[in-house]
Amino acid sequence: GAGVSQSPSNKVTEKGKDVELRCDPISGHTALYWYRQSLGQGLEFLIYFQGNSAPDKSGLPSDRFSAERTGGSVSTLTIQRTQQEDSAVYLCASSLMGQPSYEQYFGPGTRLTVT
Amino acid sequence: AQSVTQLDSQVPVFEEAPVELRCNYSSSVSVYLFWYVQYPNQGLQLLLKYLSGSTLVKGINGFEAEFNKSQTSFHLRKPSVHISDTAEYFCAVNSPGNTPLVFGKGTRLSVIA
C-alpha cells in the first residue's frame, strides 16, 4: 500500500513569506508526527496528533509555527513570516494506535529553503 | 526527559569489514529503542527495534543490535558491510504508547571499496 507522502518535496521561499507543508499519512493511521531535520540541530520533534487533536505541541519552536489535521487524515504544517533559521527538512510520520510495535513510518520530507 | 547519544558522527569502513555504530540512551522510564537508516534525499527507514524480550534484535539488511540495560546501550552491528550500506544511521528512543521519538545526532557510515 501507499506510504506516507509529503508535498511539496522542495520549497524555496523568501524571508517573511508564509508556507504550508502537507502530509498524507498511511490510510488508517491515527497518530501523526511532524519532525524537523536541520544540520545544526539533528532531528527534532515538533508536534504530535492523535486523530484531529494535538496532545503534544511542545516541540513547536515559536508561535509562527502551527499545524492542523482534518478528518483524522491529512495534516498541514504552516510557518508564518519565515526566517532563514526555518530552513530544514520537515519530516512527517504516522503510526497505528494500539499496535505493540508503535512503529512510526516516515515520509520523504519537504526541503524548505528560506532565502 | 529522554536523550540519545551517538558517540561517532562519522564511521568510515572498508567493504566486507564488520562495523559497530554506538548508541547510548538516558531515560527515567521504560523505553522502546529503534535504529533508522536514511539514504541520501530520502526519508527514514526502520532497520530494527527493541520493545521487550530477547535483547538481541535482528533487522533488515543483515543488521542487528543488542539492548544492554545496565549500560543503557543499543549498539548496531553488521558483520560484513556493502557499499550500499553507505547512509546516515539514527538511534531513537520513545516510551510505550504513541509518544514522539527522541533521536540521536546520527552517524554517517561511509563504506569504502
Side-chain angles (χ1 to χ4, degrees):
Chain A
V4 178
S5 61
Q6 294 185 245
S7 60
S9 55
N10 282 284
K11 176 73 177 178
V12 180
T13 190
E14 292 180 352
K15 177 181 174 181
K17 300 282 190 182
D18 297 352
V19 295
E20 285 190 353
L21 313 180
R22 176 187 169 106
C23 172
D24 283 88
I26 292 172
S27 178
H29 279 195
T30 54
L32 186 147
Y33 307 79
W34 283 98
Y35 295 88
R36 178 169 73 173
Q37 184 175 23
S38 56
L39 280 176
Q41 301 299 322
L43 275 154
E44 307 170 280
F45 163 73
L46 297 177
I47 186 170
Y48 154 59
F49 286 92
Q50 182 51 50
N52 291 335
S53 64
D56 190 346
K57 306 179 183 180
S58 61
L60 294 178
S62 76
D63 58 8
R64 296 186 296 104
F65 287 71
S66 63
E68 65 175 12
R69 189 179 184 195
T70 55
S73 180
V74 172
S75 177
T76 302
L77 177 69
T78 301
I79 308 173
Q80 296 179 309
R81 304 180 303 282
T82 52
Q83 303 294 313
Q84 288 186 330
E85 61 262 29
D86 300 334
S87 295
V89 176
Y90 290 81
L91 293 167
C92 175
S94 69
S95 68
L96 189 59
M97 270 291 285
Q99 293 298 308
S101 67
Y102 298 106
E103 178 178 345
Q104 295 182 23
Y105 295 82
F106 283 80
T110 293
R111 182 176 297 277
L112 175 66
T113 304
V114 182
T115 61
Chain B
Q2 296 171 325
S3 66
V4 176
T5 302
Q6 290 183 246
L7 296 166
D8 305 300
S9 59
Q10 297 187 61
V11 173
V13 62
F14 286 104
E15 194 175 15
E16 297 183 7
V19 69
E20 178 180 82
L21 305 184
R22 295 180 292 170
C23 172
N24 287 87
Y25 69 92
S26 173
S27 178
S28 57
V29 297
S30 59
V31 295
Y32 292 156
L33 292 155
F34 305 83
W35 275 99
Y36 282 86
V37 60
Q38 186 177 36
Y39 298 103
N41 300 314
Q42 294 187 28
L44 298 169
Q45 180 183 4
L46 182 68
L47 273 179
L48 48 78
K49 62 194 175 198
Y50 171 80
L51 305 179
S52 64
S54 173
T55 57
L56 182 62
V57 179
K58 293 189 184 297
I60 62 171
N61 301 340
F63 284 93
E64 64 180 33
E66 185 154 19
F67 170 58
N68 188 317
K69 187 173 183 179
S70 63
Q71 297 186 6
T72 60
S73 68
F74 191 55
H75 300 331
L76 181 70
R77 302 185 185 98
K78 186 169 182 178
S80 176
V81 295
H82 303 290
I83 295 291
S84 59
D85 293 323
T86 294
E88 187 97 21
Y89 292 79
F90 292 93
C91 182
V93 62
N94 70 358
S95 300
N98 286 77
T99 60
L101 290 164
V102 175
F103 288 89
K105 294 288 189 185
T107 297
R108 182 170 299 278
L109 175 65
S110 298
V111 180
I112 305 161

